[in-house]
Amino acid sequence: MAVTVLIPTALQKLTRDQATLECQAQSIADLLEKLEQDCPGIKGRLCDDSGQLRRFVNFYVNNEDIRFLNGIETPLRDGDEVSIIPAIAGG
């Protein structure tokens, strides 16, 4: 099942400067593993040492925050769009 992943600018150096990737994945957890295979080092930027998503990184599936779905176990379907959005702080 192919999903489109929107990569933020800060991570594009790990994706060979690509802003979007197509990936075969059944869940966000599966997507993270596939991204790591294709773009070594990206999972370390998105997940902590225990494999959980970092607090300052948000994932959206079709514009819905996965924190309000099934978190890292949120299922993906063919044609879904996954957005990776780093938190922005400032004043």
Side-chain angles (χ1 to χ4, degrees), residues 21-90:
L21 298 173
E22 294 293 321
C23 192
Q24 303 285 327
Q26 296 180 356
S27 68
I28 294 295
D30 186 33
L31 175 69
L32 289 166
E33 295 303 321
K34 301 284 175 67
L35 287 174
E36 181 63 20
Q37 288 174 6
D38 294 339
C39 308
I42 197 167
K43 186 176 179 185
R45 299 285 300 275
L46 301 172
C47 297
D48 61 22
D49 292 337
S50 67
Q52 296 301 308
L53 293 177
R54 294 186 185 276
R55 291 184 307 133
F56 57 83
V57 178
N58 300 305
F59 277 70
Y60 293 84
V61 175
N62 301 324
N63 297 319
E64 290 194 51
D65 191 331
I66 66 166
R67 292 177 293 181
F68 301 108
L69 299 172
N70 292 328
I72 200 167
E73 296 305 322
T74 298
L76 298 173
R77 295 180 300 209
D78 191 36
D80 281 349
E81 182 177 85
V82 177
S83 301
I84 302 172
I85 310 290
I88 299 172

